[in-house]
Amino acid sequence: MNTNNMRLANKRAIITASASGMGKAGCQLFCAQGARVAAIDRDRNGLESVVEQINSSGGEARGFVADLSDTAATIDVIREAQAWLGGVDVLWNHAGMPAPGDIDDLDLDRYRLSAELNLTSAVVISGEVIRSMRANRAGSIVFTSSTSGLVGSALSPLYSALKSGVIGLVKGLAVRYASEGIRVNAVCPGPVATPMLFDDFMKVDPRFSEKENEHRVLSAVPMGRLGQPMEIAHAALWLASDEAAFVTGVALPVDGGQTAR
Ligand SMILES: NC(=O)c1ccc[n+]([C@@H]2O[C@H](COP(=O)([O-])OP(=O)(O)OC[C@H]3O[C@@H](n4cnc5c(N)ncnc54)[C@H](O)[C@@H]3O)[C@@H](O)[C@H]2O)c1
């Protein structure tokens, strides 16, 4: 494949939670734009099918299986991925999960698991990757926050807490490492048509039925529709690429206008 005119030509990228949804779209898009991608997920079969599809159409990706809520496994897999890539230019820290809907009847174990995946894994992974980006004095990190990190989510205030924590991390890292050539930004998706939306988010607020939650989610979006995974991947691609060379510390809503009102 001639990658010279591509937006991620010769870039080495890591994408987490990439066996499905937006992360999968990101692997496909980043590879189509010339990147070599280390795709990390706990779903071995899902990863195999993403990687096979990319490699059979002329791209280059490899799957790495790990449960990213396990810190030791996370450190191991990031080191493995970086060793395969020979360094890293782009990281899309996409892994996350819903948090419990209730705080007055809190499922503390589930909250802790959500905090591990949404925030702790993002901290640990960034630390590992920033070490090698600092040595190169270059790099772009994209985090997946959410519109729920920008405004309060009635569905799950705890999810808002964790995803706004991601934005705080983004801003702090952005100002700390700007002078070393490392950019750090977030995409903030509104509701996107992925299994997580239908299987989890629509069910986290027990005060309402799934149908009612679906109506509440859709009626919050001025465009009146769900986002598609590739629409978020395109925003991440722009933030990851040199086209966004003067952009750092930004939390970019990709939300059909949800946070505009
Ligand atoms: N779908 C939405 O409406 C929406 C909106 C805003 C933000 N988000 C964020 O997007 C990300 C989820 O992406 P998606 O919607 O594309 O979901 P998805 O359901 O399509 O994919 C989630 C992927 O994460 C993987 N995964 C789950 N737990 C894992 C773990 N412990 N270790 C490793 N991999 C794990 C799954 O195997 C799956 O491949 C999360 O950070 C979520 O908070 C989603």
Side-chain angles (χ1 to χ4, degrees):
M1 198 191 308
N2 179 1
T3 58
N4 289 340
N5 296 323
M6 294 179 176
R7 296 162 73 191
L8 294 181
N10 305 317
K11 302 277 191 199
R12 300 157 296 180
I14 294 177
I15 304 180
T16 66
S18 37
S20 172
M22 301 177 239
K24 173 179 168 180
C27 283
Q28 293 165 332
L29 186 61
F30 284 24
C31 286
Q33 288 298 328
R36 194 149 60 92
V37 174
I40 304 177
D41 202 288
R42 69 176 174 190
D43 173 3
R44 182 180 299 276
N45 293 340
L47 268 184
E48 272 170 14
S49 98
V50 175
V51 163
E52 194 183 300
Q53 184 259 320
I54 289 170
N55 291 338
S56 65
S57 51
E60 192 178 354
R62 179 156 160 188
F64 294 84
V65 180
D67 180 346
L68 297 172
S69 65
D70 174 336
T71 301
T74 300
I75 292 171
D76 284 350
V77 81
I78 290 296
R79 291 182 181 172
E80 232 185 292
Q82 289 202 73
W84 176 69
L85 289 168
V88 57
D89 306 296
V90 169
L91 165 67
W92 183 5
N93 236 325
H94 179 62
M97 63 181 282
D102 281 332
I103 194 166
D104 54 346
D105 183 20
L106 181 59
D107 181 341
L108 195 55
D109 286 343
R110 188 151 173 88
Y111 166 73
R112 286 195 170 120
L113 180 64
S114 180
E116 284 296 323
L117 195 61
N118 283 299
L119 209 43
T120 310
S121 87
V123 168
V124 168
I125 292 168
S126 307
E128 288 293 316
V129 166
I130 280 174
R131 195 177 306 130
S132 60
M133 286 181 170
R134 288 184 77 193
N136 297 338
R137 297 195 66 78
S140 175
I141 304 180
V142 180
F143 286 79
T144 300
S145 175
S146 167
T147 50
S148 300
L150 293 168
V151 297
S153 164
L155 240 55
S156 174
L158 301 173
Y159 184 67
S160 281
L162 297 171
K163 288 301 196 186
S164 65
V166 168
I167 295 174
L169 178 64
V170 162
K171 292 188 176 182
L173 293 176
V175 295
R176 180 159 182 140
Y177 294 110
S179 63
E180 297 187 47
I182 302 169
R183 296 184 301 103
V184 188
N185 294 289
V187 282
C188 298
V192 180
T194 70
M196 190 173 292
L197 180 74
F198 299 112
D199 299 345
D200 298 309
F201 284 118
M202 298 292 193
K203 297 177 182 160
V204 296
D205 188 343
R207 296 173 304 160
F208 300 95
S209 70
E210 216 173 304
K211 200 80 215 149
E212 286 165 329
N213 277 332
E214 191 180 328
H215 174 72
R216 290 166 76 214
V217 164
L218 267 184
S219 60
V221 181
M223 284 189 185
R225 68 169 176 88
L226 299 176
Q228 293 303 314
M230 202 45 97
E231 293 177 308
I232 314 309
H234 272 286
L237 168 67
W238 178 68
L239 290 170
S241 76
D242 294 340
E243 291 166 4
F246 199 47
V247 180
T248 198
V250 157
L252 176 68
V254 188
D255 67 352
Q258 185 185 7
T259 50
R261 64 179 177 199

